[in-house]
């Protein structure tokens, strides 16, 4: 007789994700957690993504996944109607009609030990100075926010080589940088997504370089030869967050099939 598969409910996956990145870690303006659906259903498969769009829901349907786990919340601002007036409303309707549950782990995952910034450091081969759990350890995460990590490269690099390394590891064709630093880079501050609010903190911690996804124009001024700014794009900086979701689910709920979404939801193109 074939071996029976252990039944795992959506609420068990949700619990594991929230144990790793507790909801109290999210910022006050955020809306992480359960977005759509009933959590008593058994998981047929989990599609992991950065953003939830109509095409992502279509992919979930095609792959037989009744759960979508995203980084960015689908429901960020309140809805006053659910029609076909915009992309969010259409996506909500499509998910409900297909009985697909949507969970989002946003700034709670940004601020969690072992979360987004730790994953960026890992992709660079850099060791974090900030004490935190590896991304496969989802137990007993504290309520202390870690909005930025400071990591050390295996060896010092000149600025251009460092930028080329970042571009290669994150698959970007170009990076927004200030004047190239004339001293070696070893200590790197990291804040994925829209992280320019952490630039002053990166400087205060003595980082040689600062990596983030977005930064306002005027913040590039005044830091020549102080710190190497390297901005690689919001989507690009957070694209590997799906690997964190996958590790958490595989460890906590090993019977659940996971799929990293093939749909590229980055709204920005380079021409």
């Amino acid at each position: 007789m074939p071996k029976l598969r252990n039944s795992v409910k959506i609420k068990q996956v949700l619990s594991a994700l929230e144990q790793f990145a507790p909801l109290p870690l999210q910022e006050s303006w955020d809306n992480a957690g359960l977005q759509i659906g009933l959590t008593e259903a058994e998981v047929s498969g989990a599609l992991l993504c950065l953003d939830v769009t109509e095409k992502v829901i279509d992919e979930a349907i095609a792959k037989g996944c009744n759960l979508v786990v995203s980084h960015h919340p689908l429901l960020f601002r309140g809805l006053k109607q659910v029609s076909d007036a915009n992309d969010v409303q259409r996506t909500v309707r499509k998910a409900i009609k297909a009985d697909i549950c949507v969970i989002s782990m946003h700034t709670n995952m940004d601020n969690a030990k072992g979360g987004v910034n730790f994953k960026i450091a890992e992709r660079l081969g850099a060791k974090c100075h900030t004490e935190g759990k590896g991304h496969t350890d989802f137990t007993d995460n504290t309520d202390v926010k870690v909005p930025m990590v400071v990591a050390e490269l295996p060896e010092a690099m000149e600025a251009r080589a460092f930028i080329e390394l970042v571009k290669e590891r994150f698959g970007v064709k170009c990076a927004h940088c200030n004047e190239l630093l004339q001293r070696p880079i070893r200590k790197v501050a990291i804040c994925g997504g829209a992280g320019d609010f952490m630039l002053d903190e990166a400087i205060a911690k003595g980082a040689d370089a600062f990596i983030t996804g977005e930064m306002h124009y005027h913040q590039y001024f005044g830091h020549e030869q102080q710190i190497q700014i390297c901005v690689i794009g919001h989507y690009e900086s957070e694209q590997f967050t799906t690997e964190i979701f996958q590790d958490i689910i595989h460890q906590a709920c090993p019977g659940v099939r996971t799929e990293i979404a093939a749909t590229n939801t980055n709204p920005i193109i380079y021409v």
Side-chain angles (χ1 to χ4, degrees):
M1 292 180 63
K3 185 178 180 180
L4 295 177
R5 179 170 60 89
N6 291 330
S7 174
V8 177
K9 293 185 177 182
I10 289 173
K11 68 179 182 181
Q12 293 171 261
V13 176
L14 176 62
S15 176
L17 290 165
E18 290 185 356
Q19 191 173 358
F20 181 95
L23 292 183
L25 292 181
Q26 71 178 312
E27 300 301 326
S28 60
W29 44 263
D30 201 7
N31 186 41
L34 178 66
Q35 305 276 293
I36 296 171
L38 303 177
T39 62
E40 287 291 338
E42 181 181 341
V43 184
S44 62
L47 186 70
L48 316 176
C49 60
L50 206 64
D51 309 284
V52 187
T53 65
E54 289 183 87
K55 289 183 178 179
V56 167
I57 299 299
D58 288 338
E59 184 178 347
I61 294 169
K63 291 182 174 178
C65 297
N66 66 346
L67 172 61
V68 170
V69 180
S70 72
H71 182 45
H72 297 138
L74 172 61
L75 300 177
F76 190 69
R77 298 174 180 84
L79 294 179
K80 294 190 176 181
Q81 65 177 21
V82 180
S83 64
D84 62 352
N86 57 46
D87 59 330
V88 172
Q89 292 182 36
R90 290 190 295 270
T91 303
V92 169
R93 291 183 71 243
K94 181 169 285 191
I96 292 173
K97 288 172 71 175
D99 283 330
I100 290 175
C101 187
V102 177
I103 294 169
S104 300
M105 296 283 112
H106 191 211
T107 53
N108 53 322
M109 188 60 73
D110 289 332
N111 292 329
K113 292 179 180 178
V116 175
N117 300 320
F118 291 80
K119 173 59 72 172
I120 295 171
E122 178 188 299
R123 298 293 299 196
L124 286 173
K127 182 178 180 180
C128 291
H129 287 184
T130 306
E131 289 298 323
K133 301 171 177 61
H135 62 274
T136 57
D137 181 0
F138 65 94
T139 60
D140 193 31
N141 233 346
T142 70
D143 58 358
V144 176
K145 292 182 179 180
V146 187
M148 182 184 76
V149 299
V150 178
E152 190 167 303
L153 297 169
E155 57 185 28
M157 308 179 70
E158 61 95 18
R160 189 172 295 279
F162 167 75
I163 293 164
E164 290 301 320
L165 173 69
V166 175
K167 288 165 60 180
E168 184 269 324
R169 295 291 170 88
F170 290 86
V172 299
K173 295 180 180 179
C174 65
H176 290 185
C177 306
N178 61 343
E179 177 181 280
L180 294 185
L181 202 66
Q182 298 303 309
R183 69 172 189 270
I185 292 173
R186 184 80 185 269
K187 192 174 180 181
V188 183
I190 300 167
C191 185
D196 58 5
F197 68 100
M198 293 301 299
L199 177 60
D200 289 343
E201 180 71 12
I203 294 168
K205 288 186 177 296
D208 302 308
F210 177 62
I211 299 174
T212 190
E214 291 182 41
M215 201 160 88
H216 288 85
Y217 173 80
H218 292 287
Q219 288 187 271
Y220 288 85
F221 285 98
H223 303 298
E224 297 79 10
Q225 300 310 313
Q226 184 180 41
I227 192 169
Q228 181 65 65
I229 295 169
C230 185
V231 180
I232 61 175
H234 195 123
Y235 180 95
E236 290 82 357
S237 71
E238 296 179 332
Q239 62 186 297
F240 300 112
T241 305
T242 53
E243 295 179 1
I244 306 174
F245 298 154
Q246 191 168 57
D247 286 344
I248 295 167
I249 295 170
H250 283 181
Q251 183 174 340
C253 307
V256 173
R257 173 174 61 92
T258 61
E259 303 268 359
I260 291 180
T263 304
N264 185 329
T265 59
N266 191 355
I268 300 170
I269 64 171
Y270 299 89
V271 297

